[in-house]
Amino acid sequence: AKISVIGAGNVGATTVQRLAEMEFGSIVLVDIVEGLPQGKALDLMQAGAIVGYDTKIKGSNDYADIVDSDIVIITAGAARKPGMSRADLININTKIMKDVCEKIKQYAPKSIVIAVTNPLDIMTYVALEITGFEPNRVFGMSGILDTGRFASFIADELAYSKRDVEAMVIGGHGDQMLPLPQHSSVFGTPLPELLGEDVIAGLVERTIHGGAEIVALLKQGSAFYAPSAAIVQMVESILRDEKRILPVSAYLQGEYGQKGIYFGVPAKIGCDGIEGIIELELTEEQEHALKESSASIRENIEDLDI
Ligand code: NAI
């Protein structure tokens, strides 16, 4: 397979490192900064001699190099600074997404596009509009990361292995995301049977602000180790046609009572991209929160300059 990663920053380069180690195929890393993708590609190729992989990695400033990619991952764009919300990035990143997606349409018209750039649900919509691809081939990375954060906090609280925790977070990738305790469990036992309401509420709150917690600590840049791991899980399910059910930002066409927006939901991910969307049962309170989250995404989409 051929995988292209747009944006050679923290998320893009770390994603290439993880993909290279898994030997899925050749990789192209593109950035607008001259020398940056070339330098990182060389460094990552040389790591192969030590770690033991033969993955070909090409760094480039020329989009022609992404020609005929099977998967294109978009990480180009500005990241949050302390005090900024993901929505604050909207204008800068819309311009970048438009530019990048026109190139993807031109050079990799058969690819599956995974958007990562924030604000995620809005930028994934821009990718759909600009590429004109079918919605099953354009989706965003959000839920695996948010779910991973929730699972990590649950595991720490209960002193279990993170591997035995199944968590679920749906909704917009922002302050209105919806961690779902009743659909989260440890080895089959639902979270509400394991922890008190107050403790769960604390973990939910920390999950919602999990990205901001890291932004505040780093003082420059935002998270990239867990985000890149989440991207690779999506790539793996596509390339191996695993058909795993993973929470991703998917284009809704009636599911969850929503139409025409990208929203975090569990979806079956295989060689055709999104092969189905799973509708979970929600409490009344969650239904209400879901409507609020989707309304705020819809507002942002209506204001888009595309
Ligand atoms: P970064 O600042 O380290 O890297 C961004 C890179 O994009 C830079 O190297 C920059 O030169 C490049 N770039 C800018 N315009 C470009 C263009 N037109 N074509 C090609 N490259 C271009 O940022 P980082 O930390 O890698 O984050 C990237 C994006 O991903 C941000 O928008 C961030 O908010 C988002 N993000 C989303 C997550 C999610 O859950 N969906 C998680 C983590 C980050």
Side-chain angles (χ1 to χ4, degrees):
K2 175 170 174 176
I3 308 169
S4 291
V5 177
I6 316 299
N10 280 336
V11 176
T14 314
T15 300
V16 173
Q17 179 187 358
R18 293 186 189 280
L19 291 173
E21 289 174 358
M22 295 186 75
E23 297 192 296
F24 283 127
S26 64
I27 303 174
V28 176
L29 177 62
V30 176
D31 202 286
I32 39 166
V33 178
E34 269 178 47
L36 181 72
Q38 291 87 345
K40 289 196 179 178
L42 259 183
D43 190 7
L44 284 161
M45 288 271 279
Q46 291 160 4
I50 303 160
V51 179
Y53 57 79
D54 283 308
T55 309
K56 299 244 173 328
I57 308 162
K58 178 170 183 156
S60 175
N61 304 116
D62 182 359
Y63 278 91
D65 284 318
I66 73 168
V67 69
D68 294 337
S69 298
D70 297 293
I71 299 181
V72 182
I73 301 160
I74 312 174
T75 76
R80 286 195 280 173
K81 296 191 175 70
M84 271 173 103
S85 78
R86 292 178 180 92
D88 291 334
L89 299 169
I90 210 160
N91 291 331
I92 311 181
N93 286 350
T94 299
K95 285 202 193 78
I96 296 174
M97 285 300 286
K98 276 167 78 174
D99 182 37
V100 170
C101 292
E102 268 155 21
K103 299 295 198 308
I104 296 173
K105 185 181 181 180
Q106 180 181 354
Y107 291 109
K110 295 200 175 128
S111 59
I112 288 178
V113 175
I114 301 177
V116 182
T117 306
N118 272 319
L120 192 269
D121 308 280
I122 317 297
M123 293 304 112
T124 314
Y125 182 86
V126 175
L128 179 82
E129 285 288 303
I130 304 294
T131 58
F133 293 177
E134 303 85 0
N136 64 300
R137 287 203 281 142
V138 182
F139 43 100
M141 187 287 285
S142 55
I144 301 175
L145 172 64
D146 299 328
T147 294
R149 287 180 174 147
F150 193 26
S152 164
F153 298 145
I154 294 168
D156 287 348
E157 179 67 34
L158 287 164
Y160 280 118
S161 163
K162 291 176 177 61
R163 284 169 294 189
D164 290 328
V165 179
E166 292 275 351
M168 184 49 67
V169 179
I170 65 167
H173 184 58
D175 294 346
Q176 288 173 324
M177 73 177 74
L178 272 168
L180 301 178
Q182 82 272 32
H183 293 293
S184 303
S185 58
V186 181
F187 211 71
T189 307
L191 200 56
E193 289 175 31
L194 294 165
L195 288 167
E197 252 176 62
D198 288 358
V199 180
I200 293 177
L203 302 181
V204 163
E205 210 40 39
R206 193 169 175 204
T207 301
I208 292 172
H209 303 293
E213 182 179 355
I214 292 171
V215 169
L217 287 166
L218 292 175
K219 296 191 183 68
Q220 50 174 344
S222 58
F224 55 98
Y225 293 113
S228 55
I231 295 165
V232 171
Q233 195 169 64
M234 291 167 74
V235 171
E236 186 173 24
S237 199
I238 296 167
L239 291 180
R240 298 207 169 121
D241 195 22
E242 288 175 336
K243 304 197 191 297
R244 288 196 63 184
I245 292 166
L246 301 170
V248 302
S249 182
Y251 190 68
L252 297 188
Q253 292 165 298
E255 300 88 353
Y256 291 90
Q258 301 295 327
K259 253 191 198 144
I261 60 164
Y262 273 92
F263 206 57
V265 293
K268 193 206 267 185
I269 308 293
C271 61
D272 291 326
I274 294 193
E275 300 181 358
I277 288 171
I278 313 301
E279 290 199 63
L280 295 170
E281 253 183 61
L282 303 178
T283 65
E284 239 171 75
E285 205 180 317
Q286 288 166 344
E287 292 272 7
H288 181 75
L290 183 145
K291 284 206 182 83
E292 280 189 3
S293 180
S294 60
S296 105
I297 292 173
R298 202 173 292 283
E299 248 169 59
N300 279 315
I301 285 178
E302 281 162 8
D303 289 347
L304 274 175
D305 176 24
I306 48 171

